[in-house]
Amino acid sequence: MFAETSAALAGLALIAVELIRSVPALLRVQRTGTSDGVSGMSLGVLAGTGLGWLALALLVQSWWVLAANMLWIVIHAVLCREVARTDTRKRREIVLAGAGSAAALAVATIGARFFMPVRDALGLMLGVSTLFYAVPAAYEGLVSASTRGLSLLSLGVNTLEGSIYFLAGIAVLKIAEAGDPVFGFAFFGVVSIASNGVRFVRVAYRRMKGLDQAWPRAAAPVAAAQP
């Protein structure tokens, strides 16, 4: 009974975290009309591997993770559309990275299947794929001249979500029926904590200093010429 209650609480927390992290990220882009600091490549990789995460949740019988991922996929699709509207370059990145990551994940998983069980093969490939999401996301968030498109709340909750996935992956939180360690969950958790943590620090600093409130120089009104 305790294990079932623990699994239910952890699962409900994961779904709540999914909403709290995904919705503010979407609303931030919609409200500001910009995707500054948001990586199109990162969004594309996440979109392309989404079905893989659903499949992994099914294989390990983690129904709470499955529900959370289904919710995330819907919100993420809308976020991709909104970001694509703000930047032509990012639109291309989303499409190309999405198609490429989906194809690469399928081929790599099939290949790894000859050496290990399909669940382990899929978990391994999804774990590796998180690097292709996290590194571009961290890079864009750190080098972008503005971070107006990034939600501070979303980044903070992403770090918390990474912690939940890590604890689930090492079987501390029992949110999978089998209760076994899941490499894909654990690795995703570690990478997510690192990627979102550094961006959280930069965005928090810029918000405290008011650096994202000013318009870029190119967008500022041109002063009237003096006589």
Side-chain angles (χ1 to χ4, degrees):
M1 176 65 70
F2 175 78
E4 293 177 355
T5 301
S6 176
L9 290 176
L12 289 172
L14 185 61
I15 291 176
V17 165
E18 200 65 60
L19 284 171
I20 298 172
R21 81 170 182 90
S22 299
V23 173
L26 171 61
L27 293 179
R28 180 75 188 181
V29 174
Q30 290 179 329
R31 185 171 64 252
T32 62
T34 179
S35 59
D36 292 350
V38 180
S39 169
M41 180 178 296
S42 176
L43 292 180
V45 171
L46 279 172
T49 57
L51 291 180
W53 287 106
L54 291 181
L56 181 61
L58 282 171
L59 288 172
V60 302
Q61 301 178 49
S62 185
W63 312 122
W64 291 107
V65 172
L66 178 64
N69 282 347
M70 291 177 67
L71 180 64
W72 164 77
I73 284 177
V74 173
I75 300 174
H76 187 72
V78 180
L79 175 60
C80 287
R81 183 190 66 183
E82 294 301 315
V83 171
R85 287 176 173 176
T86 68
D87 192 308
T88 302
R89 174 182 63 84
K90 291 181 181 180
R91 182 188 308 141
R92 291 196 300 269
E93 290 177 350
I94 291 171
V95 173
L96 293 176
S101 60
L105 177 64
V107 171
T109 301
I110 293 173
R113 173 65 182 84
F114 291 103
F115 304 97
M116 61 185 73
V118 64
R119 190 194 80 168
D120 294 339
L122 181 58
L124 175 62
M125 293 304 106
L126 284 171
V128 172
S129 76
T130 61
L131 291 174
F132 293 91
Y133 145 72
V135 173
Y139 178 80
E140 186 79 21
L142 290 175
V143 305
S144 177
S146 164
T147 59
R148 290 178 61 226
L150 290 173
S151 164
L152 186 61
L153 174 60
S154 178
L155 291 173
V157 176
N158 262 323
T159 306
L160 173 61
E161 183 191 40
S163 302
I164 293 177
Y165 269 100
F166 173 71
L167 293 175
I170 62 176
V172 172
L173 289 179
K174 309 293 185 180
I175 59 177
E177 292 294 329
D180 298 326
V182 181
F183 172 79
F185 291 167
F187 191 78
F188 172 80
V190 171
V191 173
S192 179
I193 292 170
S195 173
N196 291 291
V198 295
R199 287 184 291 160
F200 179 85
V201 171
R202 183 179 188 229
V203 174
Y205 173 80
R206 292 182 63 85
R207 298 289 156 78
M208 287 189 297
K209 295 293 185 178
L211 299 177
D212 285 333
Q213 302 304 316
W215 290 99
R217 186 182 301 272
V222 178
Q226 296 296 324

